[in-house]
Structure formats: C-alpha cells, structure tokens
Amino acid sequence: MCGIIGYAGRDEAAPVLLDGLERLEYRGYDSAGLALFDRGGALALVRASGKLAALRGRLLEEMEQGLDAHGTVGLGHTRWATHGAPTEPNAHPHRSMRGTYTVVHNGIIENYAVLRRELEGKGVVFASETDTEVIAQLLEQTDTGSPLETLRKALPRLEGSYALGVLYHTDPETVYCARRQSPLLAAKIETDEGTAGTLLASDAAALLPYSREVYRLEDGELGALRADGMRFYGMDGTEHFLQPMVFSRHVTAADKGGYVHFMRKEIDEQPEALRRTLAPLLQKDGLFLGQGEAALRDPDGIRRVLFLGCGSAYHAGLVGAALMEKLTGIPSAAELASEFRGRKPRLDRHCLAVVISQSGETADTLAALRIAKEQGARVLGVVNVEGSSIAQESGCVIPTQAGLEVAVATTKAYSTQLSVLYALATRLAELRGDAGPGFLREFTQALRRLPGQAAAALHTSEGTVRDWAAECQQAQHTYFLGRQLDYCAAAEAALKLKEISYIHAEAYPAGELKHGTISLIEPGTPVLAVCCQPEVAAKTRSNMEEAHARGAALYCITAEGIPHAALAAERRLVLPGTHALLTASLAALPAQLFAYHCAALKKCDIDQPRSLAKSVTVE
Ligand code: F6R
C-alpha cells in the first residue's frame, strides 16, 4: 500500500524524492515523510500528516527555519495507515531511539507487539504506534556496525511482509533495502559518463521516468544503493546479480489533460483502452490470445475455471465465470482472492486459474496465485501493470492495455479486464468446439464494435445519470439489483458509488431482495436495477415492481431490445444495442458516471477517496 522511494546520486535528493512520492501517492495518502543526509552527514527528517502537499509545505517551513535539507541521499514514504492513526509521529521514516537506523516500510509486521514488548523490556523508548518503528529499534539493538550484516541478523525475527528502505547513521552515501513479500524495485540513472545515481521504489511508476530497466528484488534479498551503482545479496551474504526487466514504455507524469479529476478522464479513455486491449486479440482471421494461448493448450483437459481477484477485479471475475460457463459449459466460479487463500482449495492441472489484477501487486491476489500454482493449476494472469509481481509470477499473461490508471476507483482497467475475459471465454469455446461458427462470428463482430459502442454509451448517458445523481446524492442507502450478468454489473456499480461518494450502496441478485433486504426499502429509497439480459428481464421486472410497491425511487439501466416501456422505473437509461452478453460492459459506463456525479455533487475527494489506496499490498 504505502509508497517507498529512495535515492542515492549526485543531484539534490529532496526534489527527486518528492517527485517520486507524487507518482506513488496513489498507494497511500494519509501522511508522508522524507529523511536525507545533509551535506555534513547529519540526518534531516521531515514528516507531515495529510497529503503530500502538507509535506512539501512542512519542508519549506523547516528549511526557512534553518533545516539543511540539501543532501544527495535519502528516503521518502507515503503512508496508508495500518498500525496507528495517520498522525505525524506515526508517519514514516521512523528512526531508532539513538538515531542509528532510519527506516521506511511497506507491509505488515505481524509479531510487532511481541517484539515491541521485548525491546521495551530492554529500555527502548518508542515514539510511535507503528509496527515499522519496531524494525528500526530492532536494527539498532542488533547493530554490528555493518548494516547489511545487521539486516541479515535482524530480519529473520520479523514475521509478516516488508519492503524496506534503510539509512545508517555513519554511512551517508548508501540506501540499504530488503524485501519479503512486498514489492521492491531499483533502477540506475545512466548518463554518457556512467551511472549518475540509483533509485529504490515500491512501484515501477516512480522509476520509469529515469530508466526503462528495472531491477526487482526477490523475497529474501537485500541491497545497497550508492550514487555509482548498486549491489544485491541473499540472506546468506552471497552476492546476487539481478537481471533487469525492460519496460516497453517510458512513463511521463500523469496529466489530467484538462479534466478536473483523473477518474473522469479515465472514464472517457475507456473506448480507446478497449480498442488497444482488443486489437491484438481480434486478429483478421479470428481470436488469438498471444501468451494466453499457452494456458489453453489441451483445452478439453480443462474441467474447472476459477477467476481470482479482489474488489472490482473480482466483479470482472463474476462476469468471466458467468460467461465461461455459458459459452463452454465448464463449471466456473469467481472467488475473492482474500477468502480463497484462507481455504485449502483442491486444484489440479485440470483447473484453469485466471488471476485478475490492475496493479498486479494486490497481496491477496498474489497469494491466491501462488496457491493455484502450488496446487498444479494452469495459471493465466489478466494484468494491467507490466512487470508487476502478478504479471511476473503468472508466467502467462494477457495484458489489459488500459494504460496508467491514477484514480483510486478503477474504471478503464475494469472495462479492459471484461474485454479480455470475453475474448478468453470465446476462444476456449472455439478451441473446444463448444460454440458453432455462426455464434463465434457474431460474437467476435460484436466484440469489435464494443469500443465504438462504449463511446456512444458514454455520450448518451451522461446527462441522464447527472440528473439521477442530483436526486440521489443525499441518500443514505441505495440498492442495486440485477440477475445473472446484470447482477455482476450491479455489484460493480454499487462498489463504485460507495467508494467515492460514501453513500451506502448494496448490490443484490434481484431475486434475493425479498429474502430480507426488501424490509430496508422505504418510500424514496433509491433502487437502481440493471435489466439488460433478455432471458431474465421479465423476472427482474417483477422484482423492480416489488421495490416500487414499497415506495422505492426506481432507476433502471436497460438495453435496446428489452421491452423497457414495461419496466416499472420512470427513470430509464437505454444502452446501445449490442450482444446481450456484452451489456455488462456497457452498463458499467453509466454506473461509473453516476457514482462520479454523486461524488462530485457531494464535493468528495474523487481521485483519492478516504481510507483507500490504489494498490493494496497488505493482507
Ligand atoms: C475499486 C477498486 C478496487 C480494486 C481492488 C483490486 O474501484 O479499484 O476494488 O479493484 O483493490 O485491485 P487490483 O486490480 O489492483 O488487484
């Protein structure tokens, strides 16, 4: 979750660290800090609660009051609180009692309470409530005079996950680092005269402006970064020579391009993102999944398909599973990665595990992927961030080409995930002979038209859903209904609304309403039904009537071809005609706009909703 940046170079460290933190702020934004060695080798530490702007302000203030923050080696951190409130004392970096070690951390130290008690028993005085400070204090208590040796001795005592950046008081030229389970990357800044600096980061987004070659530490590896190069080691002290991953693109600073919010911009980018994602899959003579073809070898041997993900990625998996079962007849299910990992699932080589993630770093999804691999399942990643842990460990990936997604609430990554899953289910049905040439031709053509229809859906729905938002923005509770694929779309719509507008939103399979939840519907309660599947439209309609009879303010997203005049809802939005199985994709668009406008009217922090982070790297 938290963002880590480290720099050892020839230039002023503070601007480099602040620039890196800006690129990482989406990982957490409740407090931030930086530590750097000044020109005399003393440590300057500045922290602030709140967003990065607060840290920038604090740094300026302290420099005006005489702080020397002109150094070339340092660490920065942007926090998403796990242990301890987002206050300044709990912000990273954390220093040990005597200032020997300064640490930034991403991850969770599960045995921190035990270690803290032990260290307090030895007279250590803690300055924060965090699990991270335990690491700094433990390092100080274990110090041998060699930071690498100290790390090797101390780290095995930690249970849980960590990506660490570490500064040592008598070595102002080096940034030390270590990793277990949480991602950690490094890069060199190369010039014609050789290496001019090195960088450490929790995420490639902070490194790619400097280099396309990124070195990824593996679990149990340590490193030392200096201005003239970097070296990596195993826990046994042997040197490791890492091979860089070469990224295909340079990342420029994220730019709102005239929009007020990244989310609104990313909503509008969906037709293009869909086009980019589908183009390599929809070849002239039919579907071809690139690397994904390897996962479908021996297609008749696939007897179960599992879709694993969290949040919106799980919702994409719900669509994937419904579609897969419909097109291939193979028993399919979507599982929340966070629950899946806690069970002892029995998988084998007849199971295809489709692991879905925008960031490619979601801790629970990564754990689920590892379990699926251990159990011998075939694994296929559907990942947006190139070079991420899930992309690396899946082995076989169909990339979503959404591009950089900055807003915490996913929009274009979700849409592109759906498009990949459509292609996957269709291709498997083709390879197994489950679908006839007529259906394949028709569905593939509908897929080709999807980006254009997405553009049309965005265009035609904005005015309507803005009006809906004006009516619903004050609501305390809202309900989203749908059956089958429409339910999947409703689930995603509810998540979008609640995460950015803080309006309570729950999705129900429409038939379930009367098994309890209908008692919550009072006159005026907004109920939004997704009714796009011809097969279940009549039944959904009855459920809408039931809600209407109890006074619900009914809203309905429906599609051309559904007899919508008969729907109980006066407020209706009709999506452009597409293949019925693709409507989940189009229905997502007005739902995103609805959530966006509710949040905008309520003046919420749309791109960085409270308590959330873009990349959830803790369990
Ligand atoms: C919701 C949202 C989250 C993510 C979830 C998984 O708008 O963005 O629910 O979908 O945290 O993240 P990834 O896809 O990065 O694994």
Side-chain angles (χ1 to χ4, degrees):
M1 318 280 286
C2 308
I4 289 177
I5 179 83
Y7 173 70
R10 296 184 197 151
D11 293 331
E12 288 272 334
V16 178
L17 296 174
L18 287 167
D19 176 66
L21 288 181
E22 194 141 339
R23 291 170 200 280
L24 296 172
E25 201 181 14
Y26 70 88
R27 294 178 71 106
Y29 36 78
D30 56 39
S31 52
L34 45 87
L36 51 90
F37 287 110
D38 69 19
R39 286 166 295 195
L43 196 90
L45 178 67
V46 184
R47 302 179 298 187
S49 69
K51 292 202 178 172
L52 195 51
L55 178 67
R56 285 185 188 278
R58 178 63 57 82
L59 179 64
L60 279 178
E61 254 170 57
E62 298 215 6
M63 286 177 81
E64 273 163 23
Q65 286 163 19
L67 177 80
D68 178 2
H70 297 287
T72 60
V73 175
L75 287 170
H77 188 271
T78 171
R79 179 170 186 245
W80 184 86
T82 59
H83 298 65
T87 58
E88 188 178 322
N90 288 335
H92 300 214
H94 287 287
R95 279 178 97 174
S96 57
M97 191 171 59
R98 290 192 291 275
T100 317
Y101 284 90
T102 302
V103 172
V104 292
H105 168 221
N106 176 22
I108 290 182
I109 303 307
E110 287 164 2
N111 60 339
Y112 89 100
V114 177
L115 291 172
R116 181 169 174 142
R117 266 198 304 279
E118 179 190 313
L119 290 161
E120 281 173 337
K122 291 182 181 165
V124 174
V125 179
F126 280 76
S128 78
E129 303 158 277
T130 63
D131 54 339
T132 301
E133 191 186 346
V134 162
I135 306 172
Q137 305 289 12
L138 181 68
L139 289 171
E140 183 167 274
Q141 294 299 309
T142 319
D143 189 33
T144 64
S146 152
L148 282 172
E149 195 184 313
T150 306
L151 282 164
R152 276 198 294 274
K153 272 180 82 174
L155 293 182
R157 299 221 46 213
L158 303 179
E159 287 167 21
S161 57
Y162 54 77
L164 291 179
V166 178
L167 300 177
Y168 187 57
H169 66 144
T170 57
D171 185 0
E173 296 189 348
T174 312
V175 171
Y176 293 95
C177 61
R179 171 206 161 144
R180 187 204 289 161
Q181 284 173 29
S182 295
L184 196 58
L185 309 165
K188 289 191 259 189
I189 302 170
E190 297 291 6
T191 64
D192 293 344
E193 287 91 50
T195 305
T198 55
L199 289 148
L200 178 74
S202 47
D203 190 316
L207 301 178
L208 292 175
Y210 299 90
S211 174
R212 283 175 51 211
E213 292 194 353
V214 172
Y215 297 80
R216 177 190 185 80
L217 276 84
E218 294 300 331
D219 280 353
E221 283 183 327
L222 315 172
L225 281 68
R226 300 167 69 90
D228 58 357
M230 50 201 190
R231 297 175 81 166
F232 301 99
Y233 306 89
M235 286 297 272
D236 59 1
T238 53
E239 185 160 2
H240 287 190
F241 296 93
L242 308 189
Q243 288 306 311
M245 300 181 285
V246 183
F247 281 69
S248 57
R249 63 196 164 99
H250 261 298
V251 171
T252 49
D255 172 11
K256 287 196 187 131
Y259 285 86
V260 179
H261 298 105
F262 279 109
M263 183 179 175
R264 187 66 193 78
K265 173 171 176 256
E266 289 162 4
I267 288 174
D268 274 359
E269 284 171 353
Q270 288 176 104
E272 192 44 41
L274 285 167
R275 214 166 270 130
R276 263 200 315 271
T277 302
L278 285 169
L281 311 179
L282 294 171
Q283 310 238 326
K284 237 204 266 124
D285 44 359
L287 277 167
F288 182 72
L289 303 186
Q291 264 195 20
E293 293 286 321
L296 307 189
R297 236 178 259 137
D298 175 27
D300 293 324
I302 300 176
R303 299 193 195 135
R304 182 179 175 196
V305 186
L306 279 184
F307 295 84
L308 303 169
C310 297
S312 296
Y314 164 70
H315 293 154
L318 286 176
V319 174
L323 208 75
M324 184 62 83
E325 212 157 75
K326 234 178 177 76
L327 299 192
T328 64
I330 305 172
S332 305
E335 295 233 25
L336 286 164
S338 50
E339 288 293 304
F340 173 84
R341 64 179 299 189
R343 294 196 286 109
K344 292 208 167 48
R346 281 173 181 242
L347 313 179
D348 57 24
R349 69 195 165 83
H350 299 296
C351 175
L352 170 64
V354 183
V355 182
I356 309 166
S357 177
Q358 187 286 127
S359 62
E361 300 295 353
T362 302
D364 286 320
T365 310
L366 185 57
L369 155 73
R370 289 176 179 161
I371 292 169
K373 269 174 104 170
E374 270 162 33
Q375 299 264 329
R378 312 161 182 218
V379 171
L380 172 63
V382 177
V383 187
N384 197 43
V385 177
E386 188 186 356
S388 58
S389 302
I390 294 174
Q392 292 282 306
E393 294 194 26
S394 295
C396 164
V397 176
I398 308 181
T400 50
Q401 309 271 4
L404 180 67
E405 195 177 61
V406 177
V408 163
T410 183
T411 52
K412 56 180 181 165
Y414 170 77
S415 287
T416 53
Q417 284 163 358
L418 290 190
S419 69
V420 166
L421 300 180
Y422 292 140
L424 172 69
T426 316
R427 178 68 173 143
L428 190 53
E430 179 183 23
L431 290 169
R432 289 163 47 93
D434 295 321
F439 169 83
L440 288 170
R441 214 174 18 255
E442 186 199 348
F443 196 66
T444 312
Q445 266 163 16
L447 262 182
R448 286 186 205 280
R449 286 197 301 272
L450 190 62
Q453 281 168 326
L458 284 171
H459 182 70
T460 53
S461 58
E462 175 122 38
T464 307
V465 294
R466 201 189 290 124
D467 293 346
W468 294 4
E471 291 169 14
C472 297
Q473 50 141 333
Q474 296 300 340
Q476 298 278 319
H477 307 284
T478 56
Y479 298 91
F480 288 71
L481 307 180
R483 285 173 179 257
Q484 312 285 313
L485 282 168
D486 290 341
Y487 165 67
C488 309
E492 176 58 10
L495 177 60
K496 276 300 82 91
L497 181 65
K498 68 185 133 190
E499 69 175 323
I500 62 167
S501 75
Y502 317 140
I503 297 172
H504 172 223
E506 277 194 69
Y508 276 88
E512 277 297 297
L513 199 65
K514 57 188 163 296
H515 295 291
T517 314
I518 200 161
S519 64
L520 295 171
I521 292 176
E522 296 174 347
T525 305
V527 171
L528 193 151
V530 182
C531 185
C532 300
Q533 303 296 301
E535 288 168 33
V536 289
K539 290 193 193 307
T540 304
R541 187 185 146 201
S542 306
N543 303 132
M544 289 165 65
E545 297 278 4
E546 289 155 13
H548 194 234
R550 276 134 192 106
L554 265 191
Y555 299 83
C556 181
I557 298 177
T558 183
E560 269 176 28
I562 303 287
H564 47 83
L567 296 171
E570 280 165 23
R571 293 104 157 168
R572 286 189 295 268
L573 178 78
V574 184
L575 295 170
T578 180
H579 195 289
L581 297 178
L582 295 181
T583 48
S585 193
L586 295 186
L589 308 173
Q592 294 164 355
L593 285 170
F594 175 62
Y596 174 84
H597 285 296
C598 285
L601 288 167
K602 291 185 73 181
K603 304 209 176 336
C604 297
D605 189 346
I606 293 183
D607 287 336
Q608 296 185 329
R610 70 180 176 216
S611 306
L612 293 178
K614 184 76 182 153
S615 179
V616 187
T617 54
V618 293
E619 294 165 9

